[in-house]
Amino acid sequence: MSFLVGHQAILDLLKQMHERGRLNHALLFVGPKHVGKRTLAEHLLFSIHHLQPSHPDFLIIERQLNDKGKLKQNISIDQIRELRSRLQMSSLGAWKVAVIDEAETLSIEATNALLKTLEEPTAMTQLILLVTHLSTVPATIASRCQVVDVPFVSHMEMATAFGEVLARRAVGRPGLAMRLKEEDASSTYEQQSGAWQRLMKATLSQKLGLLQRSLKQWDGLELLDVWEREAHQDFVRQPTRDRAEILRRMMVARLAILGNVNNALAMEQIIF
């Protein structure tokens, strides 16, 4: 279980709510990519139900790899069916818990299957859904969950945990700082952010080729996460209408990708 950075106050509050019987059986953690939502979920489930991620009653649902070794675009209905089946099985202990990472990538069929689980929860179960933006979650799902905002971590806490250099690069995201500690992940991130900077300097005729080459090399949502961070930093340094519009278009592109629109078509609207 990863070290928790910056979200101790949220963890303490959720533990208090559990002790008072006010914690919903389904929680929806909303916050930026790599901000520490999954780590927070793991610490909460260990604190209140004494289950580690390695325990058989601790289930993790996330996008799987396809035959080419790349992440599939959606969490499938089969994964949710398996989740429901396992939640209904007899437990080795008192509770069964599950974390659904990138819950915004649930397919339509998987969303409908999950809705049944939320409407008719099995006794002694706890579900935590992790998403980047609340707007990417169907209202039918969000309305049945207790929403928990997981914000960026302060620079002081980041610098204390990771040092000044990583804190500046990760900008409030402990998960990203952990990834950047690894040479391969750091190299990939630098390449993706570099692709964004080249895209912004390219002529209109060059942009499409740069975008297509980037999408051949990296997963669309992963690439969009990095580019959104870079665009946000650009906006903070110099807030303009054009930069605000780029961020808005990125949100539209994300929703399109989650809606199974071709990645290239979805992201073309960012640059044209």
Side-chain angles (χ1 to χ4, degrees):
M1 189 161 56
S2 300
F3 181 66
L4 183 66
V5 177
H7 302 306
Q8 187 63 47
I10 300 175
L11 176 61
D12 291 342
L13 177 60
L14 293 174
K15 287 164 60 178
Q16 291 174 14
M17 293 176 69
H18 172 71
E19 291 168 0
R20 297 171 183 171
R22 295 175 53 195
L23 197 67
N24 199 323
H25 74 281
L27 305 175
L28 181 60
F29 285 7
V30 182
K33 188 80 169 178
H34 303 307
V35 81
K37 300 185 294 295
R38 182 157 165 174
T39 299
L40 175 60
E42 291 175 355
H43 277 261
L44 175 63
L45 294 173
F46 178 74
S47 297
I48 64 178
H49 299 311
H50 312 293
L51 294 176
Q52 294 264 19
S54 57
H55 195 281
D57 289 332
F58 192 122
L59 313 175
I60 296 178
I61 307 299
E62 56 192 344
R63 286 191 290 161
Q64 298 176 331
L65 298 177
N66 60 23
D67 295 337
K68 297 180 179 180
K70 291 189 175 182
L71 285 172
K72 293 182 179 179
Q73 196 152 310
N74 296 107
I75 294 172
S76 70
I77 186 173
D78 289 337
Q79 290 175 267
I80 299 303
R81 284 172 175 165
E82 182 181 357
L83 169 65
R84 293 181 61 190
S85 176
R86 292 185 63 182
L87 289 177
Q88 292 168 358
M89 294 172 61
S90 59
S91 172
L92 296 176
W95 283 79
K96 280 186 175 289
V97 303
V99 173
I100 303 179
D101 205 352
E102 293 185 302
E104 61 264 49
T105 65
L106 287 159
S107 68
I108 295 175
E109 296 81 5
T111 298
N112 292 333
L114 178 63
L115 186 58
K116 294 180 181 179
T117 301
L118 296 177
E119 290 174 335
E120 302 172 1
T122 306
M124 306 293 279
T125 60
Q126 182 89 57
L127 272 68
I128 302 182
L129 284 64
L130 314 179
V131 300
T132 304
H133 299 283
L134 186 59
S135 60
T136 61
V137 183
T140 51
I141 296 292
S143 64
R144 288 165 174 79
C145 298
Q146 198 165 12
V147 178
V148 179
D149 290 319
V150 185
F152 288 107
V153 175
S154 72
H155 179 77
M156 181 180 296
E157 290 176 294
M158 290 287 292
T160 299
F162 303 107
E164 188 69 25
V165 174
L166 276 179
R168 289 188 180 280
R169 291 180 67 190
V171 193
R173 306 180 190 218
L176 179 56
M178 292 296 293
R179 289 187 65 195
L180 293 177
K181 277 187 172 183
E182 303 173 9
E183 184 176 348
D184 289 345
S186 179
S187 175
T188 297
Y189 192 89
E190 291 298 328
Q191 291 175 40
Q192 292 170 337
S193 62
W196 171 252
Q197 298 304 326
R198 290 193 299 275
L199 192 71
M200 289 297 94
K201 296 175 182 178
T203 64
L204 189 60
S205 60
Q206 295 171 328
K207 288 181 184 292
L208 184 58
L210 284 169
L211 175 61
Q212 290 176 338
R213 287 194 294 275
S214 296
L215 288 173
K216 284 182 179 179
Q217 190 170 359
W218 300 298
D219 172 70
L221 285 175
E222 177 187 341
L223 188 64
L224 187 56
D225 287 333
V226 175
W227 286 6
E228 190 173 35
R229 173 187 175 274
E230 293 296 314
H232 182 264
Q233 284 188 311
D234 291 342
F235 178 79
V236 170
R237 283 193 292 266
Q238 186 178 359
T240 65
R241 288 186 178 180
D242 287 345
R243 288 176 173 174
E245 175 62 16
I246 287 175
L247 289 170
R248 187 194 69 79
R249 290 181 181 181
M250 286 181 165
M251 171 61 74
V252 174
R254 181 182 299 276
L255 291 172
I257 291 174
L258 293 172
N260 288 324
V261 173
N262 176 272
N263 286 0
L265 289 175
M267 293 180 69
E268 278 179 13
Q269 62 187 305
I270 297 172
I271 58 177
F272 293 120

